Amino acid sequence: MELSASSPWVALAYLVAGVLFIMALRGLSSPATSRSGNRYGMIGMTIAMVTTLITHGIASLPEILGAVGIGGVVGFVTARRIKMTDMPQLVAAFHSLVGLAAVLVGWAAYLNPQAFGILEGAHIASHSRVEMGLGIAIGAITFSGSIIAFLKLAGKMSGSPILLPGRHVLNLGTLLLIIGLVGCFTQVDDLWVIAVITALSFIIGFLLIIPIGGADMPVVVSMLNSYSGWAAAAMGFTLNNTAMIITGALVGSSGAILSYIMCKAMNRSFLSVIAGGFGADAGGGAGGPAKEQRPWKRGSAEDAAYIMKEAETVIIIPGYGMAVSQAQHALREMGDQLKAHGVSVKYAIHPVAGRMPGHMNVLLAEANVPYDEVFELEDINGEFAQADVAFIIGANDVVNPAAKTDKSSPIYGMPVFDVDKAKTIFFIKRSMGGVGYAGVDNDVFYMDQTMMLLADAKKMVEDIVKALAH
């Protein structure tokens, strides 16, 4: 049965789907409600897909089900096999697919406008050309930008900023040219116009993300998420699909809000994020060597267990190193043992810890760390001065005082945890030879109250757990 797209039942179905998408976003705002949020999103998408299939005779049902089946199998297998440490680059890869889909839909609409119902006489309607041009442009930017983000996050290219001469002028000129061509496309329905828009948009996507350093990748991920939503919304107008417009607008706006929150947390300008190349000082970059050899103290699992057992308050700061070693379960066990000895245990989460927004929250939730023990930066930073122990596991940039003192540092201006105020600091990292993702040495390593615990994070925490038990 095929219903008319203007049927009130279709409008009602899309409205229900839209409400479920809003409930999904609300649920995903907290680890405690994330499972229900996922379920709302899945139900809403199912309703939207079924309604669209009923109201649009675009292809035969076997073809549609075949495509859905192939995509579903690929997504299921990928989700089952992917490691939590690889989640950021997986998200970037998915964003690229959304962008590419928008480009392909736009080109399909241009090449076969009659099938999409966007003809006015012998030509494509002017408003449809605006929607098509913007959708293709945003989609292409999302695709190429996400590819660069994926390569940087996966370590397949350097996380260091790649600074082209005159990059801001080049970026601004290219963006203005794309906007001008979209305007031209409304008047000139020629193939070369849309082809040039597509090519320039692919190019500007690369140019916008290449100058961004590794320390700022979490903001890039949320920004590309926003772009993918706006691309989908633009294509929703072309397809005359209300659910796609609603979904795209929700993803686009929520991604933009998240990007703004992340920028505020990192003391970055939101406009400079959109322009590209923010935080791209030549001194920053991933994987650089420590600046100098300085004296430091090495501790052991026994030292850490003894001091923390005698402490009143321990604040744990997790970072990407915890994710790499999958130490979250051992860390939860360590926290449980400390609480059994009467120690107050809290977890401090920086907005940009890890490689994507919420990375640490997801890992701690997976390990069943109580939600009421997890605190954001602004809620806990004032407590380090009274804390007996700051326990840093695999974090570097988010506890680096250079963000407050060194104007030449690529992380300068980013709010960081005041771990240097704690009475004792335990810092887990693999060796003294490496630095954080931003490529910046950390003065905390060399402080009098700091003991470096050099080992794989999971093994070190497991050794501390054994020491606490004895």
Side-chain angles (χ1 to χ4, degrees):
M1 179 183 68
E2 185 176 323
L3 294 176
S4 169
S6 60
S7 168
W9 292 107
V10 174
L12 178 62
Y14 282 151
L15 176 63
V16 171
V19 171
L20 287 168
F21 293 147
I22 294 172
M23 293 173 66
L25 287 175
R26 179 68 183 87
L28 292 171
S29 64
S30 168
T33 57
S34 60
R35 289 181 182 272
S36 60
N38 265 319
R39 283 193 286 268
Y40 289 138
M42 292 166 65
I43 295 171
M45 186 55 68
T46 301
I47 293 173
M49 286 178 58
V50 171
T51 303
T52 300
L53 290 177
I54 292 175
T55 57
H56 293 76
I58 298 173
S60 66
L61 188 61
E63 290 176 331
I64 292 293
L65 294 178
V68 171
I70 292 171
V73 170
V74 171
F76 180 81
V77 172
T78 302
R80 293 281 296 178
R81 292 183 177 180
I82 198 73
K83 298 178 181 177
M84 284 303 300
T85 50
D86 296 334
M87 194 60 67
Q89 50 262 45
L90 176 67
V91 172
F94 281 168
H95 289 162
S96 73
L97 296 178
V98 175
L100 184 60
V103 174
L104 294 176
V105 169
W107 270 92
Y110 176 78
L111 295 174
N112 191 10
Q114 187 172 0
F116 288 79
I118 56 176
L119 282 176
E120 278 188 356
H123 298 281
I124 299 173
S126 296
H127 68 273
S128 295
R129 279 183 258 170
V130 173
E131 300 155 4
M132 194 184 304
L134 290 176
I136 289 174
I138 299 172
I141 292 171
T142 304
F143 173 76
S144 54
S146 297
I147 293 297
I148 294 296
F150 170 82
L151 294 174
K152 288 196 174 193
L153 289 166
K156 298 184 183 298
M157 70 178 292
S158 172
S160 302
I162 300 174
L163 307 181
L164 300 176
R167 65 186 184 280
H168 296 304
V169 175
L170 181 62
N171 291 350
L172 181 60
T174 306
L175 286 171
L176 290 175
L177 183 56
I178 291 171
I179 294 172
L181 285 169
V182 172
C184 175
F185 187 52
T186 63
Q187 305 300 320
V188 181
D189 186 5
D190 286 345
L191 178 64
W192 72 267
V193 180
I194 192 171
V196 174
I197 290 173
T198 306
L200 288 177
S201 299
F202 280 129
I203 292 170
I204 194 62
F206 287 110
L207 295 177
L208 287 173
I209 306 302
I210 279 178
I212 300 177
D216 298 322
M217 273 299 120
V219 184
V220 174
V221 172
S222 62
M223 180 181 69
L224 291 170
N225 178 55
S226 177
Y227 288 175
S228 68
W230 296 124
M235 286 299 101
F237 283 103
T238 300
L239 297 174
N240 194 27
N241 189 296
T242 306
M244 198 169 176
I245 296 171
I246 294 173
T247 306
L250 286 173
V251 173
S253 56
S254 61
I257 293 170
L258 179 59
S259 297
Y260 176 77
I261 294 172
M262 300 282 285
C263 288
K264 191 174 180 181
M266 297 178 68
N267 197 31
R268 305 293 193 195
S269 164
F270 184 66
L271 291 178
S272 66
V273 177
I274 297 174
F278 65 103
D281 295 329
K291 291 184 292 187
E292 56 180 307
Q293 293 296 322
R294 297 156 62 182
W296 52 277
K297 291 187 293 187
R298 183 166 190 162
S300 65
E302 291 72 21
D303 295 330
Y306 175 78
I307 294 175
M308 287 195 291
K309 188 188 295 186
E310 299 299 319
E312 291 185 5
T313 304
V314 172
I315 301 178
I316 300 171
I317 305 97
Y320 187 68
M322 182 192 76
V324 171
S325 64
Q326 291 289 285
Q328 62 270 23
H329 296 281
L331 190 67
R332 195 279 324 275
E333 188 177 353
M334 184 189 83
D336 290 344
Q337 289 208 23
L338 289 173
K339 286 186 288 184
H341 286 93
V343 181
S344 172
V345 177
K346 296 180 179 180
Y347 298 81
I349 307 297
H350 195 281
V352 297
R355 302 281 174 85
M356 65 178 288
H359 200 177
M360 297 300 104
N361 300 78
V362 171
L363 290 173
L364 294 179
E366 180 194 358
N368 294 319
V369 171
Y371 301 128
D372 58 359
E373 294 178 7
V374 180
F375 296 87
E376 301 295 332
L377 182 144
E378 62 272 13
D379 298 323
I380 200 171
N381 214 18
E383 298 186 23
F384 282 99
Q386 291 78 43
D388 295 302
V389 175
F391 187 87
I392 305 165
I393 172 169
N396 184 66
D397 301 328
V398 299
V399 298
N400 196 333
K404 297 180 288 184
T405 59
D406 185 359
K407 292 186 178 181
S408 66
S409 171
I411 62 172
Y412 180 72
M414 182 177 79
V416 294
F417 289 118
D418 296 328
V419 296
D420 53 308
K421 296 180 179 179
K423 296 181 178 69
T424 302
I425 302 170
F426 290 108
F427 208 126
I428 299 181
K429 65 195 304 285
R430 286 184 178 274
S431 71
M432 293 299 294
V435 288
Y437 198 56
V440 184
D441 198 18
N442 195 333
D443 287 338
V444 173
F445 300 160
Y446 316 105
M447 291 179 174
D448 292 336
Q449 73 267 41
T450 300
M451 291 188 189
M452 301 301 298
L453 306 176
L454 303 183
D456 173 79
K458 183 177 181 181
K459 184 178 187 308
M460 175 57 71
V461 175
E462 288 175 343
D463 289 344
I464 293 173
V465 170
K466 293 176 183 176
L468 285 170
H470 292 87

